[in-house]
Every structure is written in structure tokens, then in C-alpha cells.
């Protein structure tokens, strides 16, 4: 991995994800550190040293820029959602929903990155790689679309949640969270102010460890405190028919 080249890709993806998005959280890190590991899964390292730095870990091959951007975008989504400090351990039953939201955050960023790369590549004469990024993104979307169709999410989101709730609420980017990420991506595309609501997540005791009705209620209240758009939690409540 060429360090300067990797820095340029990370910086491009950061802009693709965050340009035009109001950063409203009162718990933002002062800086980001990105490490490439040769094994393990991508993650935000919840280092317990009390620093104000968010520490992102990726695991990619040499010059695999699409994968680097994708993994970084997902973990940056967690940082945006206030999941970077030492107390931010993932917890059921609502961790799946954060995973779906940050996956959609990364897919949105990849789309913007692909367009920007084709118009103005970071490496001279590399415009065509924008198409490769777009295809990488589309392959992920195709897989998630098939999951959403087979699970019944595209037919009736509320019935999908009721019928599969035990499987859905398993922490992590499980197949149900992957399917839901496309529903959330559509909301980001329809109303870009939905992205800023990530900054209002996890500002309450219990974080993702509270039931979904309480989670959405606290999220809406947090949006009001930060003057963020509540459109996304309200829309999810409607889709899943959460009282």
C-alpha cells in the first residue's frame, strides 16, 4: 500500500461522505486515525485512553481503492453516529439498525466518490477507475436487493420486521441489516438532510441496548436537542409501524 496514495483515497471518500452534511454532534472526535491491518475485520477501535481521536481499522489488499473507500466509509459512519469512544460497544437489540444506517452512509459516499473520480481523479489519467468504483458499489447493491426481495422487505417492511425480529436484532451487519440499508439509502437520496441525523445517535444511556420503540423516541428527542432533521427516525417508525 502506497501511504500517500491511500491518504488521497481516504480524504476523497471523507469528502464524498460528508460534504454538504451538517456535523451537529457534540461528541465529534478532534481527528481521525486510519490503520491498515493484514487480518481481522474493519472496525472502530474503542481505545480506552481518553483521547479525542477516532481510530479506524481497515483490512484491504494492495491498491484496492474501492474496498478501502467502502470500508472506511462504513467505519466513518459509525464515527459520525458517535460510536468511537471507549463506551461505544455494540449492543442488541438495535445495533443492526445502526449498521444498516452506516452501510447506507458508505454506499451513498461511494456513489459520490465514483462520480467525482471520473470527473477529477486523484491520480493523473485515472478517470476510468470511477466506473470501477461505481461497479463495485452496484455489485453490493445487487446483492442487498436480492436479500430484500427474498426476505419480504420490499413488499411490507412492517411485516418483515415482525416476522423476522429475532434474526433482525442480532448485532452486526447481518443479512437483514444489509437489506434495510437500501431502504435507508433511498431516504438519504430522497432527503439528504437525513444524513445529519446520524450525529444525533447514541447520545443517551443504553445507546443501542434499548428496545426499538425507545431507541427511536430517544433519537427523535436527540435530533430536537441538536436541531437536526428528525425525518429519518420518523420515517423508520412509519415503515416498521413502531408505536
Amino acid at each position: 500500500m502506497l501511504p500517500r496514495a491511500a491518504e488521497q483515497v481516504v480524504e476523497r471518500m471523507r469528502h464524498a461522505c460528508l460534504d454538504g452534511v451538517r456535523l451537529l454532534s457534540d461528541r465529534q472526535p478532534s481527528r481521525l486515525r486510519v490503520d491498515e491491518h493484514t487480518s481481522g475485520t474493519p472496525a472502530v477501535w474503542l481505545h480506552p485512553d481518553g483521547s479525542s481521536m477516532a481510530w479506524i481499522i481497515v483490512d484491504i489488499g494492495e491498491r484496492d481503492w474501492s474496498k478501502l473507500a467502502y470500508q472506511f466509509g462504513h467505519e466513518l459512519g459509525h464515527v459520525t453516529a458517535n460510536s468511537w469512544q471507549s463506551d461505544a460497544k455494540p449492543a442488541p437489540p438495535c445495533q443492526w439498525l445502526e449498521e444498516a444506517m452506516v452501510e447506507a452512509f458508505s454506499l451513498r459516499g461511494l456513489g459520490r466518490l465514483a462520480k467525482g473520480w471520473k470527473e477529477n481523479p486523484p491520480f493523473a489519467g485515472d478517470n476510468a477507475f470511477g466506473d470501477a468504483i461505481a461497479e463495485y458499489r452496484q455489485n453490493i447493491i445487487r446483492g442487498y436487493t436480492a436479500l430484500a426481495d427474498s426476505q419480504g422487505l420490499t413488499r411490507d417492511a412492517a411485516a418483515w420486521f415482525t416476522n423476522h425480529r429475532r434474526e433482525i436484532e442480532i448485532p452486526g451487519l447481518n443479512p437483514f441489516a444489509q437489506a434495510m440499508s437500501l431502504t435507508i439509502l433511498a431516504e438519504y437520496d430522497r432527503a439528504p438532510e437525513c444524513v445529519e441525523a446520524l450525529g444525533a445517535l447514541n447520545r443517551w444511556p443504553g445507546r443501542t441496548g434499548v428496545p426499538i420503540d425507545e431507541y427511536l423516541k430517544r433519537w427523535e428527542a436527540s435530533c430536537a436537542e441538536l436541531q437536526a432533521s428528525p425525518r429519518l427516525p420518523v420515517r423508520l417508525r412509519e415503515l416498521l409501524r413502531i408505536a
Side-chain angles (χ1 to χ4, degrees):
M1 186 62 62
L2 302 171
R4 179 59 189 143
E7 287 173 12
Q8 290 185 67
V9 174
V10 165
E11 184 66 4
R12 280 294 189 98
M13 185 60 171
R14 186 176 71 86
H15 279 286
C17 290
L18 295 177
D19 279 0
V21 175
R22 295 189 303 162
L23 297 179
L24 301 177
S25 173
D26 52 1
R27 304 183 183 191
Q28 294 177 54
S30 60
R31 61 194 180 105
L32 293 172
R33 172 172 176 164
V34 183
D35 281 354
E36 197 278 325
H37 289 193
T38 56
S39 63
T41 57
V44 176
W45 184 25
L46 307 179
H47 52 295
D49 60 1
S51 80
S52 60
M53 177 183 69
W55 198 324
I56 290 173
I57 295 169
V58 296
D59 177 15
I60 58 173
E62 185 176 356
R63 301 188 188 186
D64 195 348
W65 304 135
S66 297
K67 192 173 184 180
L68 171 59
Y70 166 65
Q71 290 186 4
F72 170 73
H74 181 100
E75 302 308 328
L76 181 63
H78 282 300
V79 173
T80 306
N82 302 309
S83 293
W84 61 274
Q85 294 175 303
S86 60
D87 63 347
K89 293 179 175 59
C94 290
Q95 182 64 29
W96 74 274
L97 192 50
E98 180 178 329
E99 293 291 345
M101 287 187 282
V102 304
E103 184 72 352
F105 178 87
S106 185
L107 291 173
R108 173 182 176 273
L110 276 180
R112 292 157 63 99
L113 178 68
K115 184 174 184 294
W117 197 297
K118 193 163 185 178
E119 295 171 352
N120 180 29
F123 313 123
D126 199 29
N127 305 67
F129 192 69
D131 291 330
I133 298 171
E135 181 61 21
Y136 182 94
R137 176 181 185 267
Q138 193 55 41
N139 284 338
I140 296 172
I141 289 175
R142 274 194 286 266
Y144 291 176
T145 299
L147 284 174
D149 290 343
S150 66
Q151 294 167 7
L153 174 57
T154 49
R155 293 188 296 276
D156 187 331
W160 169 86
F161 183 67
T162 299
N163 294 338
H164 300 285
R165 185 164 184 172
R166 181 175 296 181
E167 300 160 284
I168 289 170
E169 291 184 339
I170 294 173
L173 187 62
N174 64 55
F176 295 92
Q178 291 173 344
M180 176 53 78
S181 71
L182 296 189
T183 299
I184 295 170
L185 178 60
E187 294 301 319
Y188 289 163
D189 290 341
R190 186 176 299 113
E193 67 269 20
C194 285
V195 182
E196 71 185 33
L198 292 182
L201 282 168
N202 301 313
R203 296 176 63 251
W204 52 84
R207 298 174 54 85
T208 60
V210 298
I212 193 167
D213 55 338
E214 188 67 20
Y215 181 83
L216 294 174
K217 179 181 176 182
R218 294 186 186 188
W219 186 12
E220 289 174 45
S222 182
C223 285
E225 288 176 15
L226 296 178
Q227 297 185 315
S229 170
R231 179 180 176 126
L232 185 55
V234 169
R235 180 61 179 145
L236 290 170
R237 183 185 296 281
E238 292 171 349
L239 278 171
L240 301 178
R241 295 192 203 123
I242 305 295

